[in-house]
mmCIF file of all heavy atoms in Angstrom:
data_model
loop_
_atom_site.group_PDB
_atom_site.id
_atom_site.type_symbol
_atom_site.label_atom_id
_atom_site.label_comp_id
_atom_site.label_asym_id
_atom_site.label_seq_id
_atom_site.Cartn_x
_atom_site.Cartn_y
_atom_site.Cartn_z
ATOM 1 N N GLU A 56 5.348 0.232 -5.412
ATOM 2 C CA GLU A 56 5.056 -0.057 -6.821
ATOM 3 C C GLU A 56 4.279 -1.357 -6.956
ATOM 4 O O GLU A 56 4.427 -2.239 -6.138
ATOM 5 C CB GLU A 56 6.354 -0.119 -7.640
ATOM 6 C CG GLU A 56 7.170 -1.390 -7.484
ATOM 7 C CD GLU A 56 8.265 -1.492 -8.564
ATOM 8 O OE1 GLU A 56 7.919 -1.720 -9.732
ATOM 9 O OE2 GLU A 56 9.444 -1.332 -8.205
ATOM 10 N N ALA A 57 3.526 -1.504 -8.016
ATOM 11 C CA ALA A 57 3.209 -0.491 -8.993
ATOM 12 C C ALA A 57 1.787 0.041 -8.776
ATOM 13 O O ALA A 57 1.513 1.207 -9.013
ATOM 14 C CB ALA A 57 3.293 -1.088 -10.397
ATOM 15 N N TYR A 60 1.012 3.301 -6.810
ATOM 16 C CA TYR A 60 1.204 4.625 -7.417
ATOM 17 C C TYR A 60 -0.090 5.207 -7.967
ATOM 18 O O TYR A 60 -0.225 6.429 -8.070
ATOM 19 C CB TYR A 60 2.214 4.546 -8.571
ATOM 20 C CG TYR A 60 3.611 4.114 -8.173
ATOM 21 C CD1 TYR A 60 4.529 3.727 -9.141
ATOM 22 C CD2 TYR A 60 4.015 4.105 -6.843
ATOM 23 C CE1 TYR A 60 5.814 3.337 -8.798
ATOM 24 C CE2 TYR A 60 5.293 3.711 -6.496
ATOM 25 C CZ TYR A 60 6.190 3.325 -7.473
ATOM 26 O OH TYR A 60 7.453 2.937 -7.132
ATOM 27 N N LEU A 76 8.425 7.274 -4.219
ATOM 28 C CA LEU A 76 8.327 5.960 -4.870
ATOM 29 C C LEU A 76 9.137 4.933 -4.086
ATOM 30 O O LEU A 76 10.344 5.103 -3.898
ATOM 31 C CB LEU A 76 8.883 6.034 -6.293
ATOM 32 C CG LEU A 76 8.085 6.817 -7.341
ATOM 33 C CD1 LEU A 76 8.317 8.315 -7.168
ATOM 34 C CD2 LEU A 76 8.481 6.387 -8.733
ATOM 35 N N ILE A 77 8.471 3.889 -3.644
ATOM 36 C CA ILE A 77 9.159 2.730 -3.069
ATOM 37 C C ILE A 77 9.133 1.653 -4.139
ATOM 38 O O ILE A 77 8.069 1.335 -4.680
ATOM 39 C CB ILE A 77 8.489 2.272 -1.764
ATOM 40 C CG1 ILE A 77 8.649 3.386 -0.716
ATOM 41 C CG2 ILE A 77 9.090 0.953 -1.281
ATOM 42 C CD1 ILE A 77 8.076 3.077 0.640
ATOM 43 N N ARG A 78 10.333 1.123 -4.476
ATOM 44 C CA ARG A 78 10.424 0.240 -5.635
ATOM 45 C C ARG A 78 11.164 -1.057 -5.330
ATOM 46 O O ARG A 78 11.843 -1.176 -4.314
ATOM 47 C CB ARG A 78 11.153 0.960 -6.792
ATOM 48 C CG ARG A 78 10.433 2.226 -7.255
ATOM 49 C CD ARG A 78 10.736 2.536 -8.692
ATOM 50 N NE ARG A 78 10.211 1.494 -9.577
ATOM 51 C CZ ARG A 78 10.279 1.526 -10.900
ATOM 52 N NH1 ARG A 78 10.866 2.539 -11.494
ATOM 53 N NH2 ARG A 78 9.776 0.550 -11.621
ATOM 54 N N LYS A 79 11.026 -1.989 -6.234
ATOM 55 C CA LYS A 79 11.768 -3.242 -6.166
ATOM 56 C C LYS A 79 13.249 -2.946 -6.448
ATOM 57 O O LYS A 79 13.565 -1.926 -7.089
ATOM 58 C CB LYS A 79 11.216 -4.229 -7.198
ATOM 59 C CG LYS A 79 9.784 -4.687 -6.872
ATOM 60 C CD LYS A 79 9.797 -5.726 -5.760
ATOM 61 C CE LYS A 79 8.495 -5.855 -4.984
ATOM 62 N NZ LYS A 79 7.405 -6.484 -5.653
ATOM 63 N N PRO A 80 14.170 -3.804 -6.007
ATOM 64 C CA PRO A 80 15.608 -3.523 -6.120
ATOM 65 C C PRO A 80 16.066 -3.223 -7.552
ATOM 66 O O PRO A 80 15.591 -3.836 -8.512
ATOM 67 C CB PRO A 80 16.264 -4.811 -5.619
ATOM 68 C CG PRO A 80 15.246 -5.446 -4.754
ATOM 69 C CD PRO A 80 13.906 -5.079 -5.319
ATOM 70 N N GLY A 81 16.974 -2.251 -7.660
ATOM 71 C CA GLY A 81 17.613 -1.940 -8.934
ATOM 72 C C GLY A 81 16.834 -1.033 -9.858
ATOM 73 O O GLY A 81 17.274 -0.753 -10.970
ATOM 74 N N LYS A 82 15.694 -0.537 -9.418
ATOM 75 C CA LYS A 82 14.849 0.299 -10.291
ATOM 76 C C LYS A 82 15.090 1.783 -10.091
ATOM 77 O O LYS A 82 14.855 2.576 -11.001
ATOM 78 C CB LYS A 82 13.365 0.010 -10.033
ATOM 79 C CG LYS A 82 12.966 -1.428 -10.200
ATOM 80 C CD LYS A 82 12.687 -1.745 -11.639
ATOM 81 C CE LYS A 82 12.086 -3.141 -11.768
ATOM 82 N NZ LYS A 82 11.906 -3.520 -13.155
ATOM 83 N N LEU A 83 15.501 2.174 -8.898
ATOM 84 C CA LEU A 83 15.680 3.608 -8.628
ATOM 85 C C LEU A 83 17.086 4.034 -9.059
ATOM 86 O O LEU A 83 18.057 3.320 -8.807
ATOM 87 C CB LEU A 83 15.452 3.899 -7.144
ATOM 88 C CG LEU A 83 13.992 3.809 -6.678
ATOM 89 C CD1 LEU A 83 13.907 3.797 -5.155
ATOM 90 C CD2 LEU A 83 13.167 4.966 -7.236
ATOM 91 N N PRO A 84 17.224 5.207 -9.695
ATOM 92 C CA PRO A 84 18.492 5.580 -10.299
ATOM 93 C C PRO A 84 19.567 6.081 -9.323
ATOM 94 O O PRO A 84 20.760 5.977 -9.611
ATOM 95 C CB PRO A 84 18.097 6.707 -11.260
ATOM 96 C CG PRO A 84 16.847 7.288 -10.677
ATOM 97 C CD PRO A 84 16.133 6.144 -10.026
ATOM 98 N N TYR A 85 19.173 6.634 -8.180
ATOM 99 C CA TYR A 85 20.134 7.250 -7.261
ATOM 100 C C TYR A 85 20.407 6.294 -6.091
ATOM 101 O O TYR A 85 19.922 5.166 -6.081
ATOM 102 C CB TYR A 85 19.550 8.602 -6.803
ATOM 103 C CG TYR A 85 20.491 9.458 -6.010
ATOM 104 C CD1 TYR A 85 21.723 9.868 -6.535
ATOM 105 C CD2 TYR A 85 20.141 9.875 -4.726
ATOM 106 C CE1 TYR A 85 22.582 10.649 -5.782
ATOM 107 C CE2 TYR A 85 20.994 10.669 -3.981
ATOM 108 C CZ TYR A 85 22.212 11.044 -4.501
ATOM 109 O OH TYR A 85 23.053 11.809 -3.756
ATOM 110 N N LYS A 86 21.191 6.752 -5.109
ATOM 111 C CA LYS A 86 21.512 5.914 -3.942
ATOM 112 C C LYS A 86 20.246 5.589 -3.157
ATOM 113 O O LYS A 86 19.358 6.444 -3.021
ATOM 114 C CB LYS A 86 22.480 6.658 -3.015
ATOM 115 C CG LYS A 86 23.878 6.780 -3.576
ATOM 116 C CD LYS A 86 24.754 7.563 -2.616
ATOM 117 C CE LYS A 86 25.568 8.597 -3.344
ATOM 118 N NZ LYS A 86 26.019 9.707 -2.527
ATOM 119 N N THR A 87 20.194 4.377 -2.638
ATOM 120 C CA THR A 87 18.959 3.952 -1.973
ATOM 121 C C THR A 87 19.189 3.419 -0.563
ATOM 122 O O THR A 87 20.291 2.982 -0.219
ATOM 123 C CB THR A 87 18.270 2.830 -2.778
ATOM 124 O OG1 THR A 87 19.194 1.750 -2.924
ATOM 125 C CG2 THR A 87 17.803 3.311 -4.137
ATOM 126 N N SER A 100 13.018 -7.622 -1.307
ATOM 127 C CA SER A 100 13.518 -6.337 -0.829
ATOM 128 C C SER A 100 12.776 -5.200 -1.520
ATOM 129 O O SER A 100 12.278 -5.361 -2.635
ATOM 130 C CB SER A 100 15.013 -6.168 -1.143
ATOM 131 O OG SER A 100 15.761 -7.149 -0.492
ATOM 132 N N ILE A 101 12.733 -4.063 -0.826
ATOM 133 C CA ILE A 101 12.238 -2.828 -1.453
ATOM 134 C C ILE A 101 13.238 -1.715 -1.161
ATOM 135 O O ILE A 101 14.006 -1.795 -0.195
ATOM 136 C CB ILE A 101 10.823 -2.433 -0.973
ATOM 137 C CG1 ILE A 101 10.744 -2.418 0.554
ATOM 138 C CG2 ILE A 101 9.764 -3.320 -1.592
ATOM 139 C CD1 ILE A 101 9.426 -1.866 1.078
ATOM 140 N N GLU A 102 13.214 -0.701 -2.008
ATOM 141 C CA GLU A 102 14.184 0.391 -1.892
ATOM 142 C C GLU A 102 13.503 1.751 -2.003
ATOM 143 O O GLU A 102 12.438 1.880 -2.609
ATOM 144 C CB GLU A 102 15.228 0.267 -3.008
ATOM 145 C CG GLU A 102 16.066 -0.992 -2.892
ATOM 146 C CD GLU A 102 17.152 -1.118 -3.962
ATOM 147 O OE1 GLU A 102 17.095 -0.387 -4.974
ATOM 148 O OE2 GLU A 102 18.038 -1.954 -3.787
ATOM 149 N N MET A 103 14.209 2.746 -1.454
ATOM 150 C CA MET A 103 13.734 4.138 -1.507
ATOM 151 C C MET A 103 14.968 5.030 -1.618
ATOM 152 O O MET A 103 16.003 4.708 -1.025
ATOM 153 C CB MET A 103 12.984 4.415 -0.198
ATOM 154 C CG MET A 103 12.401 5.782 -0.037
ATOM 155 S SD MET A 103 11.594 5.918 1.603
ATOM 156 C CE MET A 103 13.024 6.283 2.635
ATOM 157 N N HIS A 104 14.901 6.107 -2.365
ATOM 158 C CA HIS A 104 16.051 7.024 -2.449
ATOM 159 C C HIS A 104 16.432 7.532 -1.053
ATOM 160 O O HIS A 104 15.548 7.840 -0.237
ATOM 161 C CB HIS A 104 15.712 8.220 -3.342
ATOM 162 C CG HIS A 104 15.915 7.936 -4.803
ATOM 163 N ND1 HIS A 104 15.150 8.515 -5.782
ATOM 164 C CD2 HIS A 104 16.826 7.143 -5.441
ATOM 165 C CE1 HIS A 104 15.566 8.090 -6.971
ATOM 166 N NE2 HIS A 104 16.574 7.264 -6.792
#
Side-chain angles (χ1 to χ4, degrees):
E56 77 167 289
Y60 298 166
L76 290 78
I77 295 182
R78 299 207 65 177
K79 293 283 157 73
K82 304 276 188 185
L83 288 167
Y85 188 58
K86 289 178 226 157
T87 57
S100 298
I101 51 173
E102 296 182 345
M103 180 182 82
H104 276 148

